[in-house]
Amino acid sequence: MIDWLLRRLADRLGVESARAGEAITPRIRFEQPWPQALALFVVLGAAALIVWIYRREGDSPWPYRALLGMLRLVLVLLAVFMLSEAVLSVERTGLPYFVVMVDDSASGRIADQYEDPASATAASALAKAAGASEPRRLDVARGWLEADDAKVLRSLQERHKVKLYLVSNGARPLAEIDAPADVAPALEKLKGVEANGAQTRLGDGVRQVLTELRGAPPSAIVLLTDGRTTDGEALAQAADLAARKGVPLFPVGLGDPRPARDLELADLLVEDVVFVEDQVRFQAKLLARGFAGQDVVVRLKERPADSDPAQAREIESIRLVAPPDGEPKRFEINHRPKQTGSITYVIEVEPRPRELQVENNRLERTITVRKEKLKVLLVDSEPRYEFRYVKNYLERDETIDLNVVLLASDPEYSEQDRTALPTFPAAKDDLFKYDVVVIGDADPSFLSSAQMRNIAEFVTEKGGGVLFVAGELFNPIAYRGTPLELLLPVELAELKNPSAQGRGVDAFRPVLTLEGRVSPIFRFGDDEATSLDIQRHLPEQYWLVEAARKKPAAIVLAEHPTLTGRDGKLPVFVYQFVGAGKAMLNTIDDTWRWRYRAGDRYFGRFWVQTLRFLARSKLVGRKQAELESDRKRYQRNQPVQIRARFPNPGLTPTGGEVAVQVERKGHGSRRVTLKSSPGAPTVFEGVLSQSPEGRYEVRLLPPPVLDGPIPTAEFEVVAPAGEFERIAMNEPELTRAAEISSGKFYTPLTVGTMLRDLPKPRKVPLDTDPPIPLWNSWAVLLLFLCVITAEWLLRKRKQLV
């Protein structure tokens, strides 16, 4: 009744009506309030005095005197009312806030394979409501908010002001819903959200929201998340702050709480150009999550390049034991191709039930397989043992087209041997038709400066390969100061020949370096371990030329087990890139000893594989440029090193820079400039930064001097490991946060009951209108005059005046 009267009074006094979502509360307030005891004493004292006076005064009936006493008491109350300066105060209240936070971190792209059928059905139904075909976590969150014509948001909006936030690296406002018309635009904004957050900071996000709304704490916070905090404050700590502010948390767990399961293949390594019947090594890494100790099958398939992927047929398979989580396992599959052409090889690991994703179960690479014979020129001064055994074997090998030159032989030798040439080729064209030149212990006095310059040009410009096989007389010490010195991968100034110094060399077996173990040259068996075991049991060597110092770019494949020089142990097999081709040095001259009790099995493999290794630069298509990234996979925002190499110095662009086009597949492209590398003028390097997830293709923007196929490279950018390192829904953390804050935890299966469980909204104070004085109003003055006049007239009527 009093509230109704005060509202009527407020309306009479012109107080503005409540706006949408608001309410007004009028009340009487005193600007000069009396102390409560004094006010009570004055009112009660006045009442007692009035009663005492009217009981003793006159012979009027008691009802008449009671009426007079009441009028006198009203006058006292009006006097107190005016002396206290009474005013009408109007307080305005509004709807409370309600916060919905949606996790948009990268883990929101995960489509969970639920083990529980009911949970799988519920998640799929919500994702379908968002128009998604798979129950990706972000789509499940969207679906709950969009389902049944956005029933959830519309119900919340009726009693709240709904604030929609995104949370990943932090909390970010997305939309505010104050009226029914705001629901549709909010959902449109949510549809445009992509799960790209690099981190999940749930605790920091909740704390940030509570801080922003500290003046008007929300009725509750709904969290749509998997509960995995990858950085910052734990959610349970923020829940403690929410509890102190009286804000309950209602987490909705997205994802399967069971540990994630996934198999992934990565980092495929294989040669781009191989030969028929070559043993091609496909090396890759297997990463497993949730399959540790289980057997998995890896298959190698092939199909013609540019053909339908369904045409791929299985050619090899191996069985592996899945490694522990987070520990990649390197493996290899070997295959000997039987046909020529461009062939696409596919390595895939067999998908398993409840696997997180299967698109990372396969890798592809297109390889060119060739069959043409290698043209090899073998040069020596005398027919020493190494020359004889190498010549005899290569003459019989069907993949080698051999010519030999014995510089100190009789003229009749070339007439008696079908492979022999009378002299070393004098014309460039005659030399450049070969793929590899093998120079044994050749006396440089038999070669002109022009012929030696031709050999250097054959390597640096034509991409040919040259193999120097050391000898006790000339190679390589006698080549100091000649054009051949540029090609050798060791410094000749510090070379020593033990035989020339009258020293012997103890028997030894070369020790393969890490590069040598993975090199195709020493692939004596079907795999690396078998090959290494065979190499360790080959017959010993008894001589080497001591190269104390290698050139800076040289790569050592095998070294002496004990003897050392300035750069460590003495090299036995060493090579380097020189311009477009390769130059290799064998510091020993008795690989023929490997034939002992084995025939040509290992000796022949070594020589054929060495020649193919050296010829590959020339046969790869005579590449004018090569383009590569330092890795095949990067995390988001991790710098991508891009490198362009021009094997032929004559085709190297001038100006110190080249450009590449980097295209994110399905999106736009951008241009990146590569700068010339200091000390390596044929190499250009650059960095690509700030790259979102996706598959990328890098294409060289060709300088005018290039023709033929445009070099390309590919790489992939993935989310940071933190978002995918632990992807199971963190149910214990979400449950704990709900309990601490007096909320409740839900899953997609149980979230339908949430609206019934939410706390009743509390009105939020907005502001107070300026007070309206009542004590000095004309209405109060007239009421006072009317009461005092009425009392005087009544008293006069009974002659009490």
Side-chain angles (χ1 to χ4, degrees), residues 235-455:
L235 180 59
Q237 292 177 314
D240 185 63
L241 173 64
R244 294 198 301 269
K245 291 180 173 288
V247 180
L249 302 183
F250 291 84
V252 180
L254 305 177
D256 194 336
R258 296 173 180 81
R261 295 155 59 91
D262 189 36
L263 293 172
E264 179 183 1
L265 295 177
D267 298 341
L268 175 60
L269 299 176
V270 66
E271 294 285 352
D272 294 329
V273 177
V274 299
F275 297 90
V276 171
E277 293 296 337
D278 252 0
Q279 187 179 64
V280 183
R281 303 167 62 199
F282 296 85
Q283 296 178 298
K285 289 180 181 178
L286 172 66
L287 296 94
R289 189 181 301 155
F291 293 100
Q294 299 184 31
D295 287 344
V296 296
V297 177
V298 179
R299 307 183 190 280
L300 176 64
K301 299 181 179 181
E302 69 173 5
R303 60 179 174 85
D306 302 325
S307 65
D308 186 349
Q311 297 181 10
R313 63 182 185 89
E314 181 179 335
I315 52 177
E316 306 284 352
S317 67
I318 59 173
R319 188 174 296 272
L320 301 175
V321 176
D325 294 4
E327 298 181 14
K329 182 174 186 176
R330 180 160 287 280
F331 68 91
E332 68 176 56
I333 300 181
N334 298 302
H335 171 63
R336 295 185 183 276
K338 308 296 183 185
Q339 57 185 6
T340 61
S342 292
I343 301 176
T344 297
Y345 288 92
V346 181
I347 294 183
E348 52 183 35
V349 59
E350 198 172 70
R352 304 296 293 273
R354 285 191 59 242
E355 200 174 339
L356 176 64
Q357 49 185 342
V358 295
E359 55 266 25
N360 60 358
N361 285 36
R362 58 186 282 135
L363 296 170
E364 289 189 5
R365 186 68 58 83
T366 299
I367 296 175
T368 301
V369 182
R370 300 191 173 201
K371 192 177 182 179
E372 64 261 33
K373 289 185 176 183
L374 288 183
K375 296 184 67 64
V376 178
L377 179 63
L378 176 60
V379 185
D380 214 318
S381 289
E382 301 287 345
R384 55 181 181 154
Y385 280 117
E386 191 79 337
F387 172 86
R388 293 177 183 178
Y389 284 109
V390 171
K391 175 181 180 295
N392 290 338
Y393 178 79
L394 296 181
E395 282 179 333
R396 301 192 306 272
D397 192 284
E398 296 180 353
T399 65
I400 304 296
D401 184 2
L402 179 68
N403 287 122
V404 299
V405 175
L406 271 179
L407 299 176
S409 67
D410 295 332
E412 294 82 8
Y413 173 69
S414 61
E415 299 174 0
Q416 299 169 357
D417 192 316
R418 63 180 179 84
T419 63
L421 300 178
T423 60
F424 189 88
K428 284 185 180 181
D429 291 342
D430 293 337
L431 177 63
F432 290 175
K433 71 181 182 181
Y434 293 99
D435 300 308
V436 180
V437 176
V438 180
I439 301 177
D441 199 15
D443 185 349
S445 64
F446 284 91
L447 300 173
S448 67
S449 296
Q451 287 175 317
M452 287 188 279
R453 285 195 298 270
N454 290 346
I455 295 173

Side-chain angles (χ1 to χ4, degrees), residues 774-794:
L774 299 177
W775 66 276
N776 59 355
S777 65
W778 284 105
V780 174
L781 180 59
L782 288 175
L783 178 61
F784 185 86
L785 292 176
C786 289
V787 172
I788 196 171
T789 301
E791 183 196 12
W792 184 81
L793 292 174
L794 291 174

Side-chain angles (χ1 to χ4, degrees), residues 129-149:
S133 58
E134 292 183 300
R136 300 186 185 277
R137 295 178 179 179
L138 182 57
D139 290 328
V140 172
R142 287 192 186 107
W144 181 63
L145 296 175
E146 295 179 16
D148 298 328
D149 192 26

Side-chain angles (χ1 to χ4, degrees), residues 725-736:
E725 187 175 357
R726 295 178 300 160
I727 60 174
M729 187 256 287
N730 194 354
E731 184 173 344
E733 179 75 358
L734 295 176
T735 302
R736 185 180 173 206

